[in-house]
């Protein structure tokens, strides 16, 4: 399966959630403990930006039994993600020491999640649940101490909360909103590249929404700051959860009212206008200059593809 088959236009990675979150079970410790013991329960095991998978021939399987996960050294403190076909699904972490012990094994391996998703090695319908596991495991690893008094906190409610035993503060997982936008001027669109991008790759501009800022204001501000372009007519397209470590990409489009680019080189290596024809070739990796657009698993690809195919925006 190619990336274009796995992520058709309008369906980037991490958006198809197959789980019933079953939030009513999060406060029932006895029920959750019983679910962990059931043979039908499964887990996704996360190590930093990677995932523990089991090799099965030329394929890999990410959804492991609890027993498989524990035998590979996964942390026993599980995060309840929800139910799939009445079976519980949990998220579990893996320590560096446990990950290192798996090096060289033929049955299990720890592999970088982004690469597997881009290559289509994992079923697209599982990626949202995997993203949930990754975001939640990362949050617990980063927020083990109370931000109010510094005391070690305790996991509660199936992992969806941490309580401070000293000052009684409650801490909840956070999601950081990020605007990502396709800005057009007639039959041209604005794309930029950062230094860490692969050679020749350009993508939509993006940035974090700041405190007390609307999505529309964030779009206009980020475009102006990074490229010097004024824009208007901000329109919402769709969102994509982005587990690096826990963002929500808010896809938007906007119309430029200026075209003179002034690059903020602290943010971008380059930014330029591309014709619709150029953008179409970049998406299909057929541009004569070797230029490329974003990968189909990212919402930026779908923003650009939507504009390329919608001639009414011209």
């Amino acid at each position: 399966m190619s990336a274009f088959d796995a992520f058709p236009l309008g369906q980037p990675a991490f958006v198809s959630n197959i789980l019933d979150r079953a939030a009513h079970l999060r406060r029932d410790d006895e029920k959750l403990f019983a679910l962990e013991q059931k043979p039908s329960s499964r887990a996704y095991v996360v190590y930093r930006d990677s995932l523990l998978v089991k090799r099965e021939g030329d394929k890999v399987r990410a959804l492991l039994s609890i027993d498989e996960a524990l035998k590979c050294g996964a942390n026993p403190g599980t995060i309840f993600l929800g139910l799939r076909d009445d079976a519980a699904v949990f998220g579990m972490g893996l320590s560096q020491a446990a990950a290192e012990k798996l090096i060289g094994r033929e049955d299990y391996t720890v592999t970088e999640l982004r690469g597997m998703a881009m290559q289509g090695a994992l079923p697209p319908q599982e990626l949202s649940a995997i993203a949930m596991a990754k975001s939640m495991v990362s949050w617990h690893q980063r927020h083990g101490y109370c931000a109010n008094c510094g005391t070690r906190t305790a996991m509660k409610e199936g992992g969806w909360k941490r309580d401070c035993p000293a000052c009684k503060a409650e801490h909840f997982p956070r999601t950081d909103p990020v605007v990502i936008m396709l800005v057009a001027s007639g039959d041209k669109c604005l794309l930029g590249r950062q230094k860490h991008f692969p050679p020749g790759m350009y993508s939509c501009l993006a940035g974090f929404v700041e405190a007390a800022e609307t999505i529309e204001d964030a779009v206009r501000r980020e475009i102006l700051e990074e490229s010097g372009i004024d824009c208007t007519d901000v329109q919402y397209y769709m969102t994509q959860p982005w587990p690096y470590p826990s963002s929500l990409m808010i896809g938007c489009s906007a119309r430029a009212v200026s075209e003179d680019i002034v690059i903020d080189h602290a943010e971008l290596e380059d930014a330029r206008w591309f014709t619709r024809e150029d953008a179409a070739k970049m998406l299909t990796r057929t541009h004569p200059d070797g230029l490329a657009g974003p990968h189909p698993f990212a919402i930026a690809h779908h923003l650009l593809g939507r504009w390329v195919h919608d001639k009414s925006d011209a």
Side-chain angles (χ1 to χ4, degrees):
M1 178 184 292
S2 72
F4 291 92
D5 295 327
F7 308 109
L9 195 60
Q11 298 179 42
F14 309 123
V15 299
S16 301
N17 199 324
I18 57 176
L19 299 183
D20 170 6
R21 293 177 181 248
H24 64 284
L25 296 176
R26 294 175 184 173
R27 295 185 181 182
D28 191 336
D29 291 340
E30 290 187 9
K31 179 66 173 178
L32 291 181
F33 180 78
L35 286 173
E36 284 186 46
Q37 315 308 311
K38 294 187 68 172
S40 60
S41 293
R42 295 292 182 266
Y44 293 109
V45 182
V46 177
Y47 172 64
R48 297 181 179 173
D49 286 342
S50 297
L51 192 66
L52 172 64
V53 296
K54 184 173 183 179
R55 292 192 181 102
E56 296 179 331
D58 58 351
K59 297 182 179 180
V60 296
R61 173 167 56 86
L63 194 57
L64 308 178
S65 70
I66 301 298
D67 186 55
E68 288 174 325
L70 292 175
K71 286 181 177 179
C72 288
N75 298 332
T78 51
I79 300 162
F80 177 64
L81 303 179
L83 301 174
R84 181 181 182 184
D85 299 328
D86 295 324
V89 180
F90 295 88
M92 304 174 75
L94 195 70
S95 69
Q96 180 176 344
E100 289 176 349
K101 288 182 179 178
L102 296 171
I103 295 175
R105 285 184 58 166
E106 296 183 357
D107 50 352
Y108 293 93
T109 186
V110 176
T111 305
E112 199 264 335
L113 172 59
R114 188 190 303 246
M116 283 194 294
M118 292 176 68
Q119 295 163 17
L122 299 170
Q125 65 270 22
E126 287 192 50
L127 292 177
S128 179
I130 293 170
M132 195 192 315
K134 184 188 178 307
S135 293
M136 293 296 292
V137 169
S138 296
W139 179 72
H140 283 285
Q141 291 173 342
R142 294 165 181 258
H143 295 83
Y145 295 86
C146 179
N148 187 50
C149 72
T151 301
R152 178 75 180 180
T153 55
M155 182 188 294
K156 298 291 184 180
E157 296 187 11
W160 290 87
K161 175 181 169 183
R162 295 191 73 92
D163 281 350
C164 177
C167 71
K168 308 305 178 184
E170 298 177 321
H171 304 277
F172 299 91
R174 60 176 291 168
T175 295
D176 298 314
V178 179
V179 288
I180 181 164
M181 42 274 173
L182 194 286
V183 181
S185 178
D187 203 40
K188 298 179 295 185
C189 70
L190 178 70
L191 300 174
R193 62 170 282 109
Q194 298 180 349
K195 292 181 180 179
H196 70 271
F197 282 7
M201 176 185 163
Y202 283 77
S203 187
C204 299
L205 274 57
F208 287 97
V209 179
E210 294 187 347
E213 186 174 45
T214 66
I215 291 171
E216 294 83 356
D217 283 344
V219 168
R220 289 187 285 264
R221 174 184 56 76
E222 284 289 343
I223 292 295
L224 182 61
E225 289 177 354
E226 294 188 0
S227 68
I229 300 296
D230 288 302
C231 64
T232 187
D233 295 342
V234 177
Q235 300 290 324
Y236 167 78
Y237 172 46
M238 68 178 298
T239 57
Q240 179 189 29
W242 193 249
Y244 297 97
S246 188
S247 297
L248 181 66
M249 308 301 291
I250 305 169
C252 296
S253 61
R255 178 173 61 85
V257 295
S258 65
E259 293 190 0
D260 293 332
I261 297 174
V262 180
I263 300 171
D264 177 359
H265 286 286
E267 295 287 340
L268 299 175
E269 182 180 73
D270 188 28
R272 63 176 80 167
W273 293 103
F274 292 91
T275 66
R276 205 179 297 264
E277 181 181 2
D278 278 332
K281 292 177 180 178
M282 291 165 69
L283 287 175
T284 56
R285 307 298 196 270
T286 57
H287 196 281
D289 297 330
L291 302 179
H295 190 278
F297 93 128
I299 190 174
H301 173 96
H302 301 264
L303 279 164
L304 186 57
R306 176 173 173 259
W307 176 78
V308 164
H309 292 95
D310 188 359
K311 305 295 185 185
S312 65
D313 286 347

